[in-house]
Amino acid sequence: MRLARTAAVAAAALAVLTMSGCIILAPPLPTRQPQQPPSQTPRPSGEPQIEVRPVEPDAPITTTDETAADTGELYAGSQGETVDGYFPDAALDLVLEPTRGTARVAPGIAMPAHDGGDELLAGTPHTADASLLLTTVGRLVLEADDAEYTCSGTVINSESGLVVVTAAHCVFDDETRDYYDRITFEPGYERGDAPFGTWEAERWWVPDQYLESNDRWLDGADDDGWMGFDFGFVRFAPQGETTLEDVVGGQGVSFTAETNGVVIAGYPGNDAFDAEVLRHCAEDELDYGAGGDANYGADCEMGDGASGSGFVSNLDPQTGAGHITAVYSNGGETGAYGPPLGATAYNGLRTLDD
C-alpha cells in the first residue's frame, strides 16, 4: 500500500488506500510531463536466453528439482486456484542468489517471530558492510500531478545492477490510470538521511495481468485478480559508472513458490508509523489464498507505505542475505498479503534488465 505525502490529498486517497495502501508526505510538487512506460519487447533474438521450465501451481516442486535453496512447500503440491477463482503467477524452478552474503536454508525463520513493525536492527548504522536488509531496502517516492506518495522497494540481483522490486501499484497510479510521472529511491533511508544517495528511475515494468484486472476492479467489476500480480520492477539510472548493487549489494530472488518463513522490511507510515524508519515483521508460517486472493498471508501489522516490501525467506541473520519470494501488496491490522513471484515476474525482470 502506498502512503500519500500531502495532507490536502489525504481524504481523497483514503478510497485508494483500501486497495493499494501507499502514504502521503508534504508539500505538493510541480507537475511534470509523464515518462513513457517501459518497453515490454523481449530481448533481441541474437542474445543468449536462459532456459527455464515453468512449474504449474499444482505440481510438487520439491519432488522434481534439485535447487539447493528449495525448502518446504506453499501452494506447490496443492491446487493454486483460490476459492474466488484466481491463480498465482506460475512457479518457476529458478533462484537468483544475493550478490553479498549467502542465503541460509534452515527450518523456520532467521529472526524471532514478530508482528508489530519494530525498527529493523535498531542502532545499527546503515553502511555498505551492514546487513543487506539495511542497505538494499529503501523508500520509494512517487510523483503524480501535484501529489506525492511513498512505497518500499528492495535492490535485487540483476544483470544491470540497477533493479528494484516493488508492488505494481507503486509504479502504476490507480487514480490517474497511468504510470507515475517520476519515481526516486533512497536505499537505507532513515529520518531524512539517505546514506546511499537518491536514485532516479529510468524505466519500469508491471504485469499485463495486473493492468487488465486492476482496470476491471476500478470500473466496479467484481475482480480482485490484480492482487495476484501486484508486483513490478523499476530500473534506476546509474550514477556515473556506479550501479545500485555496487553501492548496496543485491538481495536474492526465488521464483519457486517455496518459503521457510519470511521477514518483511519496509517503511509503513500509517497509525503509529511515520514512513521515516525501516521497520519489520517476521513470520514462520504463511497462509495461501486468504480472502480468496492468490496471495501469501503473514501475521504482520505494517500497513500503508509498506507496499512493495520484500517477503524475504532463507535469511541469514548475520549478513541479511536471503531470497525475496513475494512483495507486500495490501494489509494492515489483519495481516500482510503479497503475491508470489513466478514465471511472469521473471520474464518481466528479463525484459527490463537488458
Side-chain angles (χ1 to χ4, degrees):
M1 289 178 273
R2 69 179 185 182
L3 177 68
R5 294 186 64 186
T6 54
V9 296
L14 288 177
V16 177
L17 295 183
T18 60
M19 182 192 82
S20 58
C22 305
I23 302 185
I24 306 183
L25 304 178
L29 299 176
T31 302
R32 301 172 62 94
Q33 291 300 313
Q35 296 184 12
Q36 292 298 313
S39 169
Q40 299 195 26
T41 304
R43 293 184 177 188
S45 58
E47 294 188 16
Q49 302 290 322
I50 299 176
E51 291 294 329
V52 293
R53 179 177 61 86
V55 181
E56 293 303 318
D58 58 353
I61 301 172
T62 52
T63 63
T64 59
D65 72 32
E66 303 297 330
T67 306
D70 286 350
T71 174
E73 296 183 359
L74 201 58
Y75 65 72
S78 62
Q79 181 63 38
E81 183 177 8
T82 68
V83 293
D84 285 350
Y86 301 120
F87 286 90
D89 193 8
L92 191 67
D93 184 19
L94 189 142
V95 174
L96 302 178
E97 296 298 336
T99 54
R100 295 181 188 170
T102 302
R104 186 183 70 172
V105 178
I109 56 176
M111 296 181 70
H114 175 74
D115 64 3
D118 279 1
E119 183 175 354
L120 176 66
L121 302 177
T124 304
H126 296 240
T127 60
D129 58 353
S131 163
L132 270 186
L133 280 180
L134 288 178
T135 60
T136 58
V137 181
R139 195 174 75 164
L140 291 162
V141 177
L142 325 168
E143 299 175 20
D145 295 332
D146 292 332
E148 189 173 88
Y149 307 89
T150 69
C151 275
S152 303
T154 309
V155 183
I156 60 171
N157 177 352
S158 64
E159 290 186 17
S160 67
L162 296 166
V163 178
V164 167
V165 64
T166 187
H169 74 259
C170 296
V171 179
F172 185 84
D173 185 355
D174 298 319
E175 289 186 330
T176 65
R177 301 202 188 189
D178 199 357
Y179 294 92
Y180 283 98
D181 300 340
R182 183 182 182 218
I183 301 175
T184 55
F185 179 65
E186 295 172 321
Y189 176 89
E190 184 167 4
R191 300 198 183 282
D193 182 31
F196 306 108
T198 300
W199 299 71
E200 189 89 20
E202 59 180 6
R203 294 175 60 197
W204 39 70
W205 173 92
V206 298
D208 288 339
Q209 296 97 317
Y210 171 83
L211 297 175
E212 293 167 0
S213 55
N214 177 260
D215 269 349
R216 290 195 297 270
W217 190 90
L218 290 170
D219 288 337
D222 183 15
D223 188 346
D224 290 343
W226 61 269
M227 295 181 184
F229 291 87
D230 188 12
F231 49 77
F233 298 100
V234 183
R235 176 168 171 157
F236 289 84
Q239 298 186 358
E241 297 184 356
T242 303
T243 71
L244 268 169
E245 280 188 65
D246 290 337
V247 178
V248 303
Q251 213 39 278
V253 186
S254 172
F255 302 91
T256 67
E258 297 177 301
T259 176
N260 67 340
V262 296
V263 174
I264 304 173
Y267 291 84
N270 58 308
D271 299 328
F273 307 131
D274 58 8
E276 292 291 320
V277 178
L278 181 60
R279 299 182 180 275
H280 83 287
C281 68
E283 180 58 54
D284 57 359
E285 293 185 6
L286 301 185
D287 296 321
Y288 171 71
D293 301 317
N295 277 192
Y296 292 167
D299 185 13
C300 292
E301 297 181 18
M302 296 283 277
D304 303 347
S307 281
S309 302
F311 283 44
V312 185
S313 189
N314 301 334
L315 181 71
D316 183 334
Q318 300 303 314
T319 65
H323 300 129
I324 295 177
T325 62
V327 294
Y328 189 113
S329 170
N330 59 94
E333 293 182 358
T334 60
Y337 306 96
L341 304 176
T344 303
Y346 178 69
N347 288 333
L349 174 60
R350 289 177 59 194
T351 296
L352 188 65
D353 192 33
D354 53 21

